[in-house]
């Protein structure tokens, strides 16, 4: 009950922001670019080890990511290019966060970890493959958004890992970013494999349901016996 009330209150705030931006004729593409720029700032903070503030900035960045599509729909400015731009820049937003984490764990500090660098790199590759598999599959089948580790889930995991970081703390719930990287690395490839299987299944099912057209043979027209005319009669 309490969680639902928070959700409704948050949605009302977002709806009010969407209406205000739509009335102000703010371009949805501008909101997309602002969101990407803030994500770059978040990745930079990750690279410097400022995990808590990187998580806060990531929340703000993804608020813009939610707003651009809703503003476009409310203001009647939905375009195919806008959808393409938003989807393409989302991939960039994902990768800058991964790169920031790779830089942090690769630095010569007490937190240096070759394993975490590898996990961040594997997670980045997996996230790209998940998005590519979906885009490519949807040129063959109507929809391919299956899998438990899509972009919203990745963002939530990043935020959990960032906000839980407390250097020196031995609390079980603190410093969960390495665990998040394991989930991202393994879960991304699991989701990628799921989408590959889903596409194969849907294509096979559609081919099975297609009934081949049997060419109908048209019977030759019946021979019409013609009555002999007077000219052909034997006299």
């Amino acid at each position: 009950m309490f969680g639902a009330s928070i959700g409704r209150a948050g949605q009302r705030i977002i709806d009010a922001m969407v209406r205000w931006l739509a009335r102000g004729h703010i371009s949805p593409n501008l909101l997309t670019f602002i969101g990407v720029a803030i994500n770059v700032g978040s990745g930079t903070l990750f690279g410097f080890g400022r995990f808590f503030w990187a998580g806060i900035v990531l929340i703000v960045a993804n608020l813009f990511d939610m707003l651009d599509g809703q503003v476009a729909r409310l203001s009647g400015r939905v375009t195919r290019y806008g959808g393409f731009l938003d989807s393409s820049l989302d991939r960039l937003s994902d990768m800058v966060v991964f790169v920031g984490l790779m830089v942090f764990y690769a630095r010569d500090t007490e937190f240096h970890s070759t394993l975490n660098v590898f996990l961040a790199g594997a997670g980045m590759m997996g996230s790209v493959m998940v998005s590519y598999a979906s885009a490519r599959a949807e040129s063959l089948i109507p929809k391919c958004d299956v899998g438990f580790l899509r972009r919203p889930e990745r963002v939530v995991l990043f935020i959990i890992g960032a906000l839980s970081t407390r250097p020196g703390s031995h609390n079980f719930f603190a410093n969960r970013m390495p665990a998040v990287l394991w989930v991202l690395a393994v879960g991304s490839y699991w989701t990628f494999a799921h989408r590959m299987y889903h596409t194969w299944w849907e294509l096979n099912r559609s081919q099975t349901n297609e009934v081949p057209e049997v060419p109908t043979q048209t019977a030759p027209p019946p021979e019409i016996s013609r009555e002999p005319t007077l000219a052909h009669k034997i006299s």
Side-chain angles (χ1 to χ4, degrees):
M1 181 70 71
F2 181 68
S5 300
I6 293 176
R8 286 193 295 270
Q11 189 58 51
R12 283 196 291 269
I13 293 171
I14 291 173
D15 290 344
M17 292 176 67
V18 168
R19 288 193 296 271
W20 180 77
L21 290 168
R23 283 198 298 268
H25 304 289
I26 305 297
S27 169
N29 292 344
L30 176 61
L31 296 175
T32 302
F33 279 111
I34 292 173
V36 173
I38 299 174
N39 269 300
V40 171
S42 175
T44 303
L45 288 170
F46 274 120
F48 282 107
R50 310 294 184 184
F51 278 26
F52 179 82
W53 290 110
I56 298 297
V57 171
L58 196 57
I59 293 172
V60 176
N62 284 275
L63 176 63
F64 278 90
D65 190 46
M66 288 190 296
L67 291 175
D68 56 3
Q70 296 185 47
V71 170
R73 286 188 290 272
L74 186 61
S75 60
R77 285 185 282 180
V78 177
T79 63
R80 288 188 296 177
Y81 180 75
F84 164 77
L85 181 70
D86 183 51
S87 179
S88 299
L89 294 183
D90 280 349
R91 308 288 78 75
L92 179 61
S93 297
D94 276 348
M95 287 188 284
V96 293
V97 174
F98 277 114
V99 169
L101 289 167
M102 292 169 69
V103 169
F104 172 74
Y105 287 114
R107 291 169 59 195
D108 187 16
T109 65
E110 59 180 312
F111 303 105
H112 173 81
S113 171
T114 303
L115 175 60
N116 287 343
V117 173
F118 168 76
L119 290 173
M124 181 175 68
M125 292 167 58
S127 69
V128 171
M129 291 309 300
V130 166
S131 301
Y132 176 79
S134 178
R136 186 68 184 88
E138 288 176 2
S139 67
L140 304 171
I141 60 176
K143 198 71 177 171
C144 184
D145 58 354
V146 298
F148 74 96
L149 198 57
R150 296 168 296 180
R151 186 167 188 268
E153 288 81 6
R154 291 197 298 270
V155 171
V156 170
L157 285 169
F158 279 133
I159 293 171
I160 291 172
L163 299 185
S164 69
T165 300
R166 295 289 185 275
S169 174
H170 298 289
N171 188 296
F172 176 78
F173 297 103
N175 303 311
R176 293 290 92 192
M177 186 58 82
V180 164
L181 292 177
W182 273 106
V183 175
L184 290 169
V186 176
S188 292
Y189 288 99
W190 182 269
T191 304
F192 171 61
H194 189 179
R195 293 190 176 186
M196 295 285 284
Y197 173 77
H198 175 76
T199 304
W200 172 81
W201 173 264
E202 288 293 324
L203 287 173
N204 279 347
R205 190 179 68 169
S206 63
Q207 290 171 2
T208 303
N209 292 338
E210 287 177 359
V211 179
E213 293 185 2
V214 179
T216 56
Q217 295 181 352
T218 56
E223 294 183 2
I224 302 175
S225 57
R226 299 178 60 185
E227 247 340 277
T229 61
L230 292 176
H232 296 100
K233 288 186 179 180
I234 303 173
S235 55

